[in-house]
């Protein structure tokens, strides 16, 4: 194709292609711009340009064909999902997640006073409410917030002491 003719073709078919792609894209589950681009590639790689009298119908057929292809791909492509309860899709992620949980549970067990029971209840997979936690621990619901704050501060200090300080960068003075 000649560059001058390409510009004429772009000006002539651009608005119609945008409208057709916008109409077909939601049903195909793709972005309208992606559909437009696929049709332009089809036109430019497909050899000779369609005849001037047949351009609009060729464009409609091309948009619908690309949309059908997108729907077929969407049906065939199944997203990979990690097992429920795993930290990530990779075994390394699951191992690291397990190690972090082990270290956290170990630190919680070393907390003073009622903190292990309270933090354990907050970390529970049952997702207890403050009222349920207060009932289980036998303390008032109003005192849970201050006790939780004190316990979390203690846990932060404990974990900060266990984590190594970063190396100094550059020269020491």
């Amino acid at each position: 194709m000649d560059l001058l003719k390409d510009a004429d073709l772009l000006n002539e078919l651009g608005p119609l292609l945008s409208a057709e792609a916008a109409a077909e894209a939601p049903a195909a589950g793709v972005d309208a711009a992606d559909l437009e681009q696929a049709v332009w590639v089809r036109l430019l790689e497909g050899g000779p340009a369609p005849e001037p009298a047949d351009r609009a119908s060729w464009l409609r057929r091309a948009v619908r064909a690309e949309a059908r292809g997108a729907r077929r791909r969407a049906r065939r492509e199944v997203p990979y999902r990690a097992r429920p309860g795993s930290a990530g899709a990779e075994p390394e992620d699951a191992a690291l997640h397990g190690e972090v949980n082990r270290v956290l549970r170990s630190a919680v067990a070393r907390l003073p006073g009622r903190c292990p029971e309270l933090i354990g209840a907050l970390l529970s997979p049952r997702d207890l409410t403050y009222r349920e936690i207060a009932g289980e621990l036998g303390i008032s619901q109003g005192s849970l917030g201050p006790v939780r704050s004190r316990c979390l501060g203690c846990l932060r200090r404990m974990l900060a002491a266990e984590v190594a300080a970063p190396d100094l960068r550059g020269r020491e003075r």
Side-chain angles (χ1 to χ4, degrees):
M1 273 195 215
D2 181 1
L3 287 179
L4 183 60
K5 289 182 182 178
D6 286 347
D8 291 339
L9 191 62
L10 177 65
N11 291 335
E12 179 186 341
L13 296 180
L16 180 59
L17 177 56
S18 295
E20 288 288 330
E24 290 289 331
V30 295
D31 188 35
D34 291 340
L35 203 52
E36 277 186 63
Q37 183 177 11
V39 173
W40 283 122
V41 168
R42 177 185 277 221
L43 175 65
L44 294 174
E45 288 180 347
E51 295 300 319
D54 191 39
R55 285 183 180 164
S57 63
W58 178 90
L59 187 73
R60 287 186 191 98
R61 285 192 312 269
V63 169
R64 288 186 179 98
E66 291 295 331
R68 276 193 308 274
R71 280 192 295 274
R72 276 195 302 272
R73 282 189 301 278
R75 278 194 306 265
R76 280 193 313 255
E77 294 173 356
V78 178
Y80 176 75
R81 296 178 197 242
R83 290 187 318 271
S86 69
E90 299 294 323
E92 293 86 8
D93 292 341
L96 287 175
H97 184 66
E99 180 65 17
V100 167
N101 278 341
R102 188 192 62 73
V103 169
L104 180 63
R105 297 281 178 185
S106 171
V108 166
R110 294 190 315 262
L111 288 171
R114 302 193 92 172
C115 291
E117 295 117 9
L118 177 61
I119 300 297
L122 290 171
L123 291 174
S124 171
R126 295 185 301 162
D127 196 26
L128 301 170
T129 64
Y130 267 28
R131 177 176 286 167
E132 294 167 336
I133 293 171
E136 281 189 11
L137 299 179
I139 58 177
S140 71
Q141 186 176 346
S143 66
L144 272 180
V147 173
R148 177 190 63 92
S149 179
R150 185 175 47 83
C151 292
L152 288 176
C154 187
L155 182 63
R156 275 190 211 99
R157 286 188 300 275
M158 185 184 298
L159 290 175
E162 292 178 5
V163 175
D167 293 336
L168 292 175
R169 296 182 183 165
R171 296 175 36 185
E172 289 184 44
R173 294 187 183 213

